[in-house]
Amino acid sequence: MAVGKSAIAHELAKRLDVPHVDTDVLIVEAHGSIPSIFAGRGEHAFREIEARTVAVAVEHAEVTPAVISLGGGAVLDSGTQQVLARCTVVYLECDAQTVASRIARNSGRPLLAGDAMARWSALFATRKPVYERLADLVLDVRHGSITELGHRLEVALREYAAAKQEVEH
C-alpha cells in the first residue's frame, strides 16, 4: 500500500506498449469508491469483489498481454494466489519511512484509519511473507523516479523472460 504500484505499472505498460490494468480502478468503475464499499459492505465483500476482478483481469491478459496492478491486500486471497501463479509477479519492495509521506497525503485508505503508520506497519508485517513467496521479481522502490523505476523493471523483466525461456529450451 502506497508504494507506487499504479504509477510504476503505468510507466512499465507504456514502455512495453501494452495496456495497464489497475484492478482498484476497475472496482471503482463497477462498484463505487473503495471506502464506500468498505463502509457499506465490509472488507470481506470488498475482497470477494477484488478476487473476481483480478481473475477477470488475468484472463484478459492471457489473451491480450497487459501490466496489471493490484491492491496491496489482493494477494491474501488463496484463489488470487492461484491465479497469479500463471503470471509474472513483481513485488515492489518498500519500507515505512518511504511510504510515510505518501500515506500522510492520502487519508482515503479505509484500512489505515486511525494511526495510519501503525496500521500500515501491521498490515505490511502480515503481507510481506506472501509478497516474497509469490514474487518472481523484486524491485526496490525506495529510490528513483517513476521513470527510472519503470526502466529498471523493464530491464529486469526482459532478463527474467530470457532466462526463463532459456531454461524451457
Side-chain angles (χ1 to χ4, degrees):
M1 195 180 300
V3 300
K5 293 179 299 293
S6 296
I8 294 167
H10 180 76
E11 176 67 22
L12 177 65
K14 188 171 66 174
R15 291 175 166 278
L16 298 177
D17 195 28
V18 299
H20 168 226
V21 178
D22 185 322
T23 58
D24 282 350
V25 170
L26 295 177
I27 291 167
V28 169
E29 288 172 351
H31 302 277
S33 78
I34 292 171
S36 69
I37 297 168
F38 268 78
R41 299 171 62 190
E43 183 177 0
H44 182 74
F46 171 77
R47 294 298 175 200
E48 288 178 349
I49 292 167
E50 183 177 50
R52 286 193 306 273
T53 303
V54 170
V56 169
V58 169
E59 282 179 31
H60 287 267
E62 289 172 336
V63 176
T64 304
V67 174
I68 304 170
S69 53
L70 309 181
V75 299
L76 301 178
D77 179 78
S78 60
T80 298
Q81 291 177 23
Q82 291 173 351
V83 167
L84 293 178
R86 306 188 324 243
C87 305
T88 300
V89 177
V90 178
Y91 164 36
L92 302 181
E93 185 177 47
C94 205
D95 58 21
Q97 182 178 359
T98 304
V99 300
S101 63
R102 297 175 193 171
I103 289 171
R105 288 193 303 266
N106 182 355
S107 60
R109 299 176 189 273
L111 290 179
L112 297 184
D115 183 345
M117 284 313 301
R119 297 277 300 141
W120 185 92
S121 296
L123 288 169
F124 181 64
T126 303
R127 295 173 178 181
K128 184 179 180 187
V130 179
Y131 296 159
E132 290 173 338
R133 179 172 48 82
L134 295 176
D136 296 300
L137 292 170
V138 177
L139 179 69
D140 183 339
V141 298
R142 289 174 280 200
H143 306 287
S145 67
I146 296 299
T147 302
E148 292 165 342
L149 293 168
H151 174 72
R152 286 189 2 228
L153 183 51
E154 178 188 13
V155 169
L157 280 167
R158 291 190 189 283
E159 290 172 356
Y160 174 79
K164 189 174 176 181
Q165 190 172 22
E166 194 172 295
V167 169
E168 291 173 358
H169 292 314

